[in-house]
Amino acid sequence: MSTARPRIAIVDYDMGNRRSVEKALEHVGAAASITRDPAELQAADALVLPGVGAFPRGMRNLRHYGLDAVLRERASAGTPLLGICLGMQLLFDSSTELGELTPGLGLISGEVRALEAGSLRVPHIGWNEVTLVRDSQLTALLPASGAPFYHVHSYAAHPSLEQDVLGTTEYGERFATIVARGSVYGTQFHPEKSSRDGLTLLTSFVRLVQAGDPAQAYA
């Protein structure tokens, strides 16, 4: 495993929590930068797609800056990509947010739908215990029994394939809150706002980027 600080580019598409993600990644050993420059995104060792807001606007902004094509190209080349909150939702095929069917990046099969919270208040804001349902290098350093993470959202992703779900939590309904397909990862919660366990998850992401081959991240 390389000991060099991996270059992780945080995708800037005018949607949310970029600075806090940058600080968290720097804290756990990455050389992080916020950019929408295609050349910088192509040169980075890994990408992080953060975001707060509505799915249709998120996809509109990505297309406006030409970032949707860059993200698909880098993901298809096996570059590690981590989507956070709205960023995770954008990884999926589509969303029904704002009453319209909006195509997403299509990197993970499935749809994003309104959270079925029953009598609970929406948006879902707060700490929820996440249950780990499948082993992954992204979650390798977390307690096997799970951990609490900070969520802020009104919509939830529904992956088409069960094997793409790494962790779930419950708020009215049980939903996927950690997902992965190949080198593409996503968390519905905000690891950068989730204290020790959030930094632990980001540490795992940095390690798998350093390793080049995720299977060697903890060898």
Side-chain angles (χ1 to χ4, degrees), residues 6-23:
R7 296 169 299 166
I8 299 182
I10 300 161
V11 182
D12 182 5
Y13 64 117
D14 299 333
M15 298 291 286
N17 51 325
R18 301 176 295 271
R19 292 293 178 193
S20 56
V21 172
E22 181 185 36
K23 290 178 181 178

Side-chain angles (χ1 to χ4, degrees), residues 9-117:
I10 300 161
V11 182
D12 182 5
Y13 64 117
D14 299 333
M15 298 291 286
N17 51 325
R18 301 176 295 271
R19 292 293 178 193
S20 56
V21 172
E22 181 185 36
K23 290 178 181 178
L25 287 168
E26 291 278 356
H27 183 77
V28 299
S33 62
I34 300 169
T35 184
R36 64 172 62 113
D37 184 333
E40 292 183 22
L41 295 172
Q42 291 287 357
D45 298 313
L47 305 177
V48 172
L49 181 63
V52 174
F55 190 107
R57 183 186 170 203
M59 283 306 304
R60 186 164 58 247
N61 286 12
L62 288 177
R63 289 193 300 269
H64 174 74
Y65 292 118
L67 299 173
D68 55 335
V70 176
L71 288 166
R72 290 188 181 104
E73 180 182 345
R74 296 237 59 198
S76 67
T79 302
L81 166 61
L82 174 64
I84 295 174
C85 194
L86 173 62
M88 170 182 142
Q89 295 180 7
L90 295 173
L91 301 175
F92 284 84
D93 291 327
S94 62
S95 171
T96 59
E97 191 166 359
L98 302 183
E100 55 186 284
L101 187 66
T102 304
L105 292 169
L107 300 176
I108 299 178
S109 179
E111 185 180 61
V112 177
R113 302 194 294 267
L115 185 63
E116 295 182 3

Side-chain angles (χ1 to χ4, degrees), residues 75 78-81 107-108 136 163-164 166 179-185 208 214:
T79 302
L81 166 61
L107 300 176
I108 299 178
S136 168
Q163 60 263 36
D164 292 344
L166 302 182
V179 297
R181 168 146 291 272
S183 63
V184 177
Y185 304 90
L208 69 86

